[in-house]
Amino acid sequence: MAHDVKSQLTHLIRQALASVAPAAADLPIHLERPRDPTHGDFATNLAMQLAKALKKNPREIANQLLAELPVSVLVAKAEVAGAGFINFTLDPRAKLGVVRAVLAEGESFGRSTLGGWQKVQVEFVSANPTGPLHVGHGRGAAYGASLSSLLSFAGWDVTREYYVNDAGRQMDILGLSTWLRYLEQYGVAVPFPPNGYQGDYVRAMAEQLQHAHGDKYLRPATAVLADMPGLPEAERSDDAAKQQRELHLDALIARAKELLGADWDYVHQHALTEQLADGRDDLEQFGVHFDVWFSEKALFDTGLVARCVDLLEQKGHLYLQNGARWFKSTAFGDEKDRVVQRENGLYTYFASDIAYHLNKFERGFDKIINIWGADHHGYIPRVSGAVKALNLDADKLQVALVQFAVLYRNGQKASMSTRSGEFVTLRELRGEVGNDACRFFYALRKSDQHLDFDLDLAKSQTNENPVYYIQYAHARICSVLNQWSGAQLGDLAALAESDLARLDHPRELAIANQLAQFREVIENAARDLAPHLIAFYLKDLAGEFHGWYNAERMLVDDPALRDARVALALAVRQVIRNGLAILGVSCPESM
């Protein structure tokens, strides 16, 4: 593209390289932006790369390259620096060309073909539908949604997917918890297990059952508790006590299935449907959308789990011990082998996870990205090992970890335990600070870094609040455009023809330089699965704009200068819009 000065400069250097070292004409040319602006706009270490092959001093080679560099209006100055770097300072007119490009391309500015339209699946959130989404899930949702938008913007064909764990023990616990609360409505005294789900949402589902079906699911306490293993003292927290509580819980689940018979499926499905619908609604309101909701149960119903385990056995990766089938996970770098089928014939969660990954590969994705909580770090080698054991290309699989977000309200840390019901929901957080602050603050740190979510800052209307700071820059530009005389004529398109050479202030050139980096930021962020780089970039761009706005008058009496400044401001507005759209943040026109 005409405004892509980095590509043009690379082409000029390659011409010089072909003259100085024809045998190395295809050598990759690395152009970096120096941290110190006095070192120019770009720098290359090409001469140092050539030194060994040419058996010359890098500075000597650098001078030869400069002598062969074609003359171009692009370059105002090129000089050798340090041990052999070549620093390039661009002509101001070349820097300002990006303004026309932004105005011409609009919402497509910054888009890249880096991904080559490869099919990539991004699986994220995938929280057990056992209760409302909490603040921790929110970070994974914001990261996954932003990353998906980023990859799409950078040229990948993205499928956003949520894996619904609808076949496991956690759903049984939720079904049981709902039924026990239902029994409470009728005064049936069954002690509620301490490791059941205890939030108010469980009581709400129990009330729905009662209103819809009356006493249909009522059973006497004596039948529920007959021969039930006891519970340890409440204050005990040792491993034996924990195991005893889990055995008690499993016995209650088995009893519920026995007493309810076919009705158990209805109670179980009611709890699943309610919580899944609640989570889907919450995510939609958060601006997080999925193309596929994939059911774990479907893996069993289609026989894929059984086929997958049999495949591993055929390939010699399983062994039998104590009646259970084990995957030789240690052969692939895991710390211990893992059970895929228990002695009672039931498959483990790990078995269905292997089958799910086999399904992903069979759907033909070129790249598979799993976004998991950081507590799943140890799960990576066993899943990767299973993929290798099935003779699939493990390099296609990438796992991005998301650290838990810790919420602080008035300096107090909030608890987020799902089982106890003492958690802060994503819906509550959104209600308190708004979607924009949620999405931006979640994206403001690298996903695998710890995040303290400061509510007081997120709600503040000050320059210290980064999302407010960026949105305020957008609103300021909207205000300038409303006051600009051409706005009444709907003549924004004419701004692209303004005399940009009038923009000779260092702040204006710095803004143009910042705009020109947008595509580079997009591509770097996409390569590193790092949407936080977009947030950093937008904060810097807003800072450049606010500094210029506070120092200079936009709507001056000189029509040519006025239109040039408005054109630059309009380009800034467009890039802010493009960047915030990736992060799922709105762009208010007034604040």
Side-chain angles (χ1 to χ4, degrees):
M1 295 185 182
H3 72 274
D4 191 351
V5 293
K6 190 175 183 181
S7 297
Q8 294 178 62
L9 188 54
T10 301
H11 180 67
L12 294 175
I13 298 168
R14 191 164 296 288
Q15 288 178 266
L17 175 61
S19 297
V20 173
D26 293 331
L27 190 71
I29 294 169
H30 301 289
L31 274 175
E32 303 291 338
R33 293 184 182 270
R35 289 184 179 178
D36 185 346
T38 63
H39 294 168
D41 297 298
F42 287 100
T44 182
N45 65 347
L46 180 61
M48 295 147 90
Q49 288 179 271
L50 292 167
K52 187 174 181 181
L54 299 184
K55 297 177 181 171
K56 290 182 180 178
N57 182 286
R59 285 186 65 91
E60 182 184 345
I61 299 169
N63 280 306
Q64 285 181 292
L65 288 167
L66 284 187
E68 296 296 327
L69 192 74
V71 175
S72 170
V73 295
L74 194 69
V75 182
K77 183 172 67 172
E79 57 189 359
V80 179
F85 289 98
I86 304 175
N87 292 343
F88 298 91
T89 300
L90 301 179
D91 184 278
R93 288 166 296 179
K95 291 183 181 182
L96 292 165
V98 70
V99 176
R100 293 196 213 285
V102 176
L103 299 185
E105 294 176 36
E107 64 182 25
S108 293
F109 179 77
R111 284 191 179 274
S112 168
T113 57
L114 179 70
W117 309 116
Q118 289 185 89
K119 288 176 65 181
V120 58
Q121 184 220 43
V122 183
E123 183 231 320
F124 60 109
V125 185
S126 298
N128 288 337
T130 53
L133 297 171
H134 59 56
V135 173
H137 297 136
R139 189 178 187 191
Y143 173 67
S146 297
L147 177 62
S148 298
S149 296
L150 169 62
L151 292 174
S152 180
F153 201 74
W156 274 270
D157 179 6
V158 180
T159 296
R160 299 157 174 84
E161 186 153 316
Y162 189 117
Y163 180 53
V164 182
N165 299 121
D166 53 2
R169 180 172 180 263
Q170 295 305 317
M171 287 311 305
D172 282 347
I173 298 171
L174 182 66
L176 171 73
S177 301
T178 304
W179 182 57
L180 293 179
R181 292 303 189 198
Y182 164 87
L183 295 179
E184 280 183 9
Q185 312 278 329
Y186 292 95
V188 175
V190 175
F192 195 88
N195 42 357
Y197 287 102
Q198 305 193 32
D200 287 339
Y201 65 95
V202 179
R203 296 180 189 275
M205 291 191 296
E207 288 170 7
Q208 289 169 348
L209 281 178
Q210 184 192 29
H211 291 151
H213 301 283
D215 62 2
K216 181 179 181 181
Y217 309 116
L218 188 60
R219 302 293 185 273
T222 51
V224 178
L225 295 173
D227 303 317
M228 189 61 52
L231 282 168
E233 296 83 358
E235 63 274 9
R236 280 184 57 191
S237 59
D238 55 281
D239 289 344
K242 289 176 184 174
Q243 186 178 11
Q244 203 175 338
R245 291 186 187 105
E246 294 301 313
L247 288 172
H248 176 83
L249 192 61
D250 285 339
L252 278 173
I253 291 168
R255 184 60 50 80
K257 291 179 178 179
E258 173 196 331
L259 293 175
L260 289 172
D263 286 339
W264 165 259
D265 289 338
Y266 180 85
V267 173
H268 182 279
Q269 191 64 33
H270 170 69
L272 168 66
T273 303
E274 284 297 311
Q275 291 313 306
L276 201 54
D278 181 73
R280 192 191 296 248
D281 175 69
D282 202 1
L283 290 166
E284 287 285 337
Q285 289 183 33
F286 195 34
V288 177
H289 313 290
F290 290 92
D291 304 304
V292 177
W293 293 75
F294 192 98
S295 163
E296 179 190 4
K297 188 171 178 290
L299 297 170
F300 292 94
D301 293 345
T302 59
L304 186 59
V305 178
R307 174 162 72 86
C308 189
V309 171
D310 288 345
L311 265 174
L312 289 172
E313 182 140 55
Q314 290 165 24
K315 294 176 185 298
H317 298 300
L318 298 187
Y319 63 88
L320 200 64
Q321 182 177 303
N322 299 329
R325 293 162 93 184
W326 294 69
F327 171 57
K328 298 174 184 175
S329 196
T330 49
F332 299 94
D334 197 5
E335 60 185 1
K336 61 181 181 180
D337 293 342
R338 308 288 172 174
V339 176
V340 290
Q341 190 175 20
R342 297 188 181 94
E343 60 275 13
N344 61 6
L346 295 177
Y347 293 103
T348 61
Y349 176 81
F350 179 44
S352 56
D353 228 15
I354 300 171
Y356 180 43
H357 283 81
L358 175 60
N359 172 275
K360 292 185 183 196
F361 278 90
E362 289 181 342
R363 279 187 273 161
F365 292 109
D366 300 300
K367 190 180 184 72
I368 294 164
I369 299 172
N370 294 341
I371 297 175
W372 292 346
D375 56 335
H376 283 68
H377 183 270
Y379 207 69
I380 298 173
R382 75 189 77 158
V383 170
S384 177
V387 167
K388 291 173 186 172
L390 290 168
N391 294 336
L392 301 170
D393 184 0
D395 290 338
K396 287 185 176 181
L397 174 64
Q398 194 166 356
V399 178
L401 296 175
V402 178
Q403 280 285 355
F404 205 66
V406 179
L407 180 66
Y408 285 87
R409 182 186 289 107
N410 301 323
Q412 296 295 314
K413 184 176 176 180
S415 168
M416 287 178 253
S417 165
T418 309
R419 287 265 194 109
S420 71
E422 297 172 1
F423 55 86
V424 177
T425 67
L426 174 60
R427 191 175 276 111
E428 287 169 339
L429 178 63
R430 293 193 295 103
E432 187 159 348
V433 303
N435 272 4
D436 287 343
C438 273
R439 288 292 299 262
F440 194 88
F441 270 67
Y442 277 136
L444 198 51
R445 293 280 176 274
K446 194 176 178 185
S447 70
D448 60 2
Q449 289 181 348
H450 181 81
L451 176 67
D452 287 340
F453 197 115
D454 184 343
L455 280 169
D456 300 322
L457 180 61
K459 290 188 286 187
S460 69
Q461 296 188 354
T462 66
N463 290 345
E464 282 70 43
N465 179 351
V467 66
Y468 177 85
Y469 189 60
I470 295 164
Q471 288 178 322
Y472 187 42
H474 181 272
R476 271 183 155 178
I477 297 167
C478 290
S479 176
V480 168
L481 289 169
N482 288 337
Q483 296 171 57
W484 172 63
S485 56
Q488 283 74 39
L489 307 174
D491 204 16
L492 292 181
L495 285 171
E497 306 306 317
S498 56
D499 183 8
L500 298 177
R502 297 297 303 275
L503 299 173
D504 54 7
H505 193 284
R507 289 185 183 276
E508 292 161 345
L509 296 176
I511 290 172
N513 196 41
Q514 193 81 5
L515 294 173
Q517 295 179 46
F518 186 53
R519 180 176 286 105
E520 291 172 48
V521 172
I522 291 291
E523 293 184 347
N524 289 335
R527 282 191 197 97
D528 295 342
L529 310 186
H532 69 280
L533 296 178
I534 311 294
F536 291 173
Y537 169 84
L538 293 174
K539 191 165 175 285
D540 290 344
L541 178 60
E544 295 281 7
F545 172 78
H546 285 304
W548 177 49
Y549 182 93
N550 292 332
E552 301 292 327
R553 198 156 63 92
M554 303 283 110
L555 303 176
V556 293
D557 294 333
D558 180 340
L561 179 58
R562 179 182 63 224
D563 286 359
R565 285 182 172 173
V566 173
L568 179 59
L570 185 59
V572 171
R573 184 179 78 161
Q574 185 64 63
V575 171
I576 287 175
R577 284 182 172 181
N578 294 1
L580 287 182
I582 290 170
L583 300 180
V585 177
S586 73
C587 294
E589 296 193 359
S590 61
M591 292 177 74

